[in-house]
Amino acid sequence: MTVELTPMRWWHVSWAAELDRQCFGATAWTPAGFVSELARPSRRYRVALLAGEPVGYAGLAVWTDDTGGSPPEADLQTLAVDPPQRGHGIGTLLLEDAIAACRDAAVGAIHLEVRTEAPARRLYEVHGFRPVRQRRNYYAPGEHAVVMVLPLSAHVATS
Ligand SMILES: CC(C)(COP(=O)(O)OP(=O)(O)OC[C@H]1O[C@@H](n2cnc3c(N)ncnc32)[C@H](O)[C@@H]1OP(=O)(O)O)[C@@H](O)C(=O)NCCC(=O)NCCS
């Protein structure tokens, strides 16, 4: 199975919004939400293509500190794979690509929020993310989020 990653473009948006709806229901992003994300220079969205067809996406936001006092920080905004294509390593590929991009950008830490019960938690833990706090009722009443952080070595002083 050959999967290639490509920047998300406007022609992926309706597909991405439909997958988001399947994955996240009421909290999903609309097509307009995706378009607005893609227009922001701080964003980095990638689509996984299998035989040329989109099967997953990951979205990253990278925040620079304009005072220059701190390394950039990143939020993993979203990650999803088409249900029939799950379990074949596509989510891992997208996540590892996002982590590599953060290392290249000398990001100090990657943050994300995930539903407390989501299977995706395991994927993040395997890649070194650690839970740092819970946000109760974050998604909806009774649907809590856990905030996870992956510190990257780039923020360690090298001198
Ligand atoms: C999370 C998600 C992107 C993973 O995509 P994927 O292509 O299936 O991921 P992979 O095949 O690379 O699997 C990676 C690991 O994730 C974990 N994992 C992924 N889906 C899982 C599931 N349904 N149940 C249990 N573990 C799961 C496993 O640890 C797996 O590692 P393993 O195969 O060595 O056991 C996909 O399940 C998804 O789209 N979920 C719905 C959206 C979502 O919750 N996104 C995260 C929002 S923060």
Side-chain angles (χ1 to χ4, degrees), residues 23-24 79-81 85-93 113-114 118-120 122-124 126:
C23 292
F24 305 115
L79 172 70
V81 171
Q85 303 298 343
R86 288 180 192 167
H88 300 298
I90 297 169
T92 296
L93 190 70
E113 292 113 22
V114 60
R122 172 97 191 107
L123 173 63
Y124 299 133
V126 163

Short mmCIF file of all heavy atoms in Angstrom, two decimals, residues 23-24 79-81 85-93 113-114 118-120 122-124 126, ligand 1:
data_model
loop_
_atom_site.label_atom_id
_atom_site.label_comp_id
_atom_site.label_asym_id
_atom_site.label_seq_id
_atom_site.Cartn_x
_atom_site.Cartn_y
_atom_site.Cartn_z
N CYS A 23 -16.52 11.77 11.78
CA CYS A 23 -15.67 11.50 12.96
C CYS A 23 -16.13 12.27 14.19
O CYS A 23 -16.08 11.76 15.30
CB CYS A 23 -14.23 11.88 12.66
SG CYS A 23 -13.42 10.85 11.45
N PHE A 24 -16.55 13.52 14.00
CA PHE A 24 -16.72 14.42 15.15
C PHE A 24 -18.13 14.97 15.31
O PHE A 24 -18.38 15.76 16.23
CB PHE A 24 -15.70 15.57 15.06
CG PHE A 24 -14.28 15.08 14.94
CD1 PHE A 24 -13.53 15.33 13.79
CD2 PHE A 24 -13.69 14.32 15.95
CE1 PHE A 24 -12.22 14.87 13.67
CE2 PHE A 24 -12.38 13.85 15.82
CZ PHE A 24 -11.65 14.12 14.68
N LEU A 79 -6.88 15.31 13.17
CA LEU A 79 -6.28 14.12 12.55
C LEU A 79 -7.42 13.13 12.34
O LEU A 79 -8.16 12.84 13.28
CB LEU A 79 -5.23 13.51 13.49
CG LEU A 79 -4.63 12.16 13.09
CD1 LEU A 79 -3.73 12.30 11.86
CD2 LEU A 79 -3.81 11.57 14.24
N ALA A 80 -7.58 12.65 11.14
CA ALA A 80 -8.66 11.68 10.88
C ALA A 80 -8.32 10.83 9.67
O ALA A 80 -7.65 11.29 8.74
CB ALA A 80 -9.99 12.40 10.65
N VAL A 81 -8.79 9.59 9.72
CA VAL A 81 -8.61 8.65 8.61
C VAL A 81 -9.98 8.05 8.30
O VAL A 81 -10.78 7.76 9.21
CB VAL A 81 -7.58 7.55 8.99
CG1 VAL A 81 -7.54 6.44 7.94
CG2 VAL A 81 -6.18 8.16 9.15
N GLN A 85 -10.25 2.65 5.94
CA GLN A 85 -8.79 2.62 5.75
C GLN A 85 -8.02 2.64 7.06
O GLN A 85 -6.79 2.70 7.05
CB GLN A 85 -8.35 3.82 4.88
CG GLN A 85 -9.03 3.89 3.54
CD GLN A 85 -8.73 2.68 2.66
OE1 GLN A 85 -7.79 1.94 2.91
NE2 GLN A 85 -9.56 2.46 1.65
N ARG A 86 -8.71 2.58 8.18
CA ARG A 86 -8.01 2.65 9.47
C ARG A 86 -7.29 1.33 9.77
O ARG A 86 -7.64 0.29 9.25
CB ARG A 86 -9.02 2.95 10.60
CG ARG A 86 -9.50 4.38 10.52
CD ARG A 86 -10.49 4.71 11.61
NE ARG A 86 -11.13 6.00 11.32
CZ ARG A 86 -12.20 6.46 11.92
NH1 ARG A 86 -12.78 5.75 12.87
NH2 ARG A 86 -12.70 7.63 11.57
N GLY A 87 -6.30 1.46 10.63
CA GLY A 87 -5.58 0.26 11.06
C GLY A 87 -4.49 -0.17 10.10
O GLY A 87 -3.90 -1.24 10.26
N HIS A 88 -4.17 0.66 9.11
CA HIS A 88 -3.11 0.33 8.15
C HIS A 88 -1.93 1.29 8.25
O HIS A 88 -1.12 1.35 7.33
CB HIS A 88 -3.65 0.35 6.72
CG HIS A 88 -4.76 -0.62 6.49
ND1 HIS A 88 -4.60 -1.98 6.62
CD2 HIS A 88 -6.07 -0.42 6.18
CE1 HIS A 88 -5.76 -2.57 6.38
NE2 HIS A 88 -6.67 -1.65 6.12
N GLY A 89 -1.87 2.07 9.29
CA GLY A 89 -0.70 2.93 9.49
C GLY A 89 -0.83 4.33 8.92
O GLY A 89 0.12 5.11 8.99
N ILE A 90 -1.99 4.67 8.36
CA ILE A 90 -2.12 6.00 7.74
C ILE A 90 -2.13 7.10 8.81
O ILE A 90 -1.49 8.14 8.65
CB ILE A 90 -3.38 6.06 6.84
CG1 ILE A 90 -3.23 5.05 5.70
CG2 ILE A 90 -3.59 7.48 6.29
CD1 ILE A 90 -4.50 4.82 4.90
N GLY A 91 -2.82 6.84 9.91
CA GLY A 91 -2.82 7.82 11.00
C GLY A 91 -1.42 8.04 11.55
O GLY A 91 -1.00 9.17 11.80
N THR A 92 -0.67 6.94 11.68
CA THR A 92 0.72 7.04 12.15
C THR A 92 1.55 7.88 11.19
O THR A 92 2.32 8.75 11.60
CB THR A 92 1.32 5.63 12.28
OG1 THR A 92 0.58 4.92 13.28
CG2 THR A 92 2.79 5.67 12.66
N LEU A 93 1.37 7.62 9.89
CA LEU A 93 2.14 8.36 8.87
C LEU A 93 1.85 9.86 8.98
O LEU A 93 2.78 10.70 8.96
CB LEU A 93 1.73 7.84 7.49
CG LEU A 93 2.55 8.27 6.30
CD1 LEU A 93 3.92 7.62 6.35
CD2 LEU A 93 1.83 7.86 5.00
N GLU A 113 -5.80 18.38 21.95
CA GLU A 113 -6.90 17.93 22.81
C GLU A 113 -7.53 16.72 22.17
O GLU A 113 -7.69 16.68 20.95
CB GLU A 113 -8.00 18.99 22.93
CG GLU A 113 -7.62 20.22 23.68
CD GLU A 113 -7.59 21.42 22.74
OE1 GLU A 113 -8.24 21.38 21.69
OE2 GLU A 113 -6.88 22.38 23.07
N VAL A 114 -7.88 15.74 22.98
CA VAL A 114 -8.51 14.54 22.45
C VAL A 114 -9.57 14.10 23.46
O VAL A 114 -9.42 14.34 24.67
CB VAL A 114 -7.44 13.43 22.20
CG1 VAL A 114 -6.68 13.05 23.47
CG2 VAL A 114 -8.03 12.21 21.53
N ALA A 118 -11.14 8.44 23.56
CA ALA A 118 -10.89 8.15 22.15
C ALA A 118 -9.75 7.15 21.98
O ALA A 118 -8.72 7.24 22.66
CB ALA A 118 -10.53 9.43 21.40
N PRO A 119 -9.90 6.18 21.04
CA PRO A 119 -8.80 5.25 20.75
C PRO A 119 -7.54 5.99 20.30
O PRO A 119 -6.43 5.50 20.48
CB PRO A 119 -9.35 4.38 19.61
CG PRO A 119 -10.82 4.55 19.63
CD PRO A 119 -11.09 5.90 20.23
N ALA A 120 -7.72 7.19 19.72
CA ALA A 120 -6.57 7.96 19.23
C ALA A 120 -5.58 8.26 20.36
O ALA A 120 -4.40 8.48 20.11
CB ALA A 120 -7.06 9.26 18.61
N ARG A 122 -4.20 6.40 22.41
CA ARG A 122 -3.12 5.39 22.40
C ARG A 122 -2.07 5.76 21.34
O ARG A 122 -0.86 5.65 21.58
CB ARG A 122 -3.73 4.01 22.13
CG ARG A 122 -2.75 2.92 21.91
CD ARG A 122 -2.49 2.11 23.18
NE ARG A 122 -1.34 1.24 22.97
CZ ARG A 122 -0.14 1.44 23.51
NH1 ARG A 122 0.07 2.44 24.32
NH2 ARG A 122 0.85 0.62 23.26
N LEU A 123 -2.55 6.17 20.18
CA LEU A 123 -1.64 6.57 19.10
C LEU A 123 -0.74 7.71 19.57
O LEU A 123 0.48 7.69 19.35
CB LEU A 123 -2.48 7.01 17.89
CG LEU A 123 -1.75 7.64 16.70
CD1 LEU A 123 -0.78 6.66 16.07
CD2 LEU A 123 -2.76 8.10 15.65
N TYR A 124 -1.33 8.68 20.28
CA TYR A 124 -0.53 9.81 20.76
C TYR A 124 0.46 9.36 21.84
O TYR A 124 1.60 9.80 21.87
CB TYR A 124 -1.44 10.92 21.29
CG TYR A 124 -2.36 11.48 20.23
CD1 TYR A 124 -3.71 11.67 20.47
CD2 TYR A 124 -1.88 11.82 18.97
CE1 TYR A 124 -4.56 12.18 19.50
CE2 TYR A 124 -2.71 12.32 17.99
CZ TYR A 124 -4.05 12.50 18.26
OH TYR A 124 -4.88 13.00 17.29
N VAL A 126 1.82 6.47 22.23
CA VAL A 126 2.92 5.71 21.61
C VAL A 126 3.97 6.67 21.04
O VAL A 126 5.16 6.34 21.01
CB VAL A 126 2.36 4.77 20.52
CG1 VAL A 126 3.44 4.27 19.57
CG2 VAL A 126 1.63 3.60 21.15
C1 LIG B 1 -7.02 8.07 15.27
C2 LIG B 1 -6.99 7.69 13.80
C3 LIG B 1 -6.62 8.91 12.97
C4 LIG B 1 -5.91 6.62 13.60
O1 LIG B 1 -5.82 6.33 12.21
P1 LIG B 1 -5.32 4.90 11.69
O2 LIG B 1 -4.95 5.04 10.26
O3 LIG B 1 -6.27 3.84 12.05
O4 LIG B 1 -4.01 4.73 12.59
P2 LIG B 1 -2.92 3.60 12.50
O5 LIG B 1 -3.36 2.49 11.59
O6 LIG B 1 -1.63 4.25 12.17
O7 LIG B 1 -2.89 3.06 13.99
C5 LIG B 1 -2.03 3.65 14.91
C6 LIG B 1 -2.35 3.29 16.34
O8 LIG B 1 -3.48 3.99 16.76
C7 LIG B 1 -4.17 3.23 17.72
N1 LIG B 1 -5.50 3.09 17.21
C8 LIG B 1 -5.97 3.71 16.13
N2 LIG B 1 -7.27 3.42 15.97
C9 LIG B 1 -7.60 2.62 16.97
C10 LIG B 1 -8.81 1.99 17.35
N3 LIG B 1 -9.95 2.14 16.65
N4 LIG B 1 -8.83 1.24 18.46
C11 LIG B 1 -7.69 1.09 19.17
N5 LIG B 1 -6.53 1.66 18.85
C12 LIG B 1 -6.49 2.40 17.76
C13 LIG B 1 -3.42 1.93 17.87
O9 LIG B 1 -2.53 2.09 18.95
C14 LIG B 1 -2.64 1.85 16.60
O10 LIG B 1 -1.43 1.22 16.76
P3 LIG B 1 -1.28 -0.37 16.46
O11 LIG B 1 -1.83 -0.61 15.10
O12 LIG B 1 0.17 -0.57 16.59
O13 LIG B 1 -2.09 -1.03 17.53
C15 LIG B 1 -8.35 7.10 13.31
O14 LIG B 1 -8.69 6.05 14.18
C16 LIG B 1 -9.46 8.11 13.26
O15 LIG B 1 -9.65 8.80 12.26
N6 LIG B 1 -10.25 8.22 14.37
C17 LIG B 1 -11.38 9.13 14.40
C18 LIG B 1 -10.93 10.57 14.49
C19 LIG B 1 -10.15 10.85 15.75
O16 LIG B 1 -10.49 10.42 16.84
N7 LIG B 1 -9.07 11.64 15.57
C20 LIG B 1 -8.24 12.10 16.64
C21 LIG B 1 -8.76 13.41 17.08
S1 LIG B 1 -7.71 14.16 18.31
#
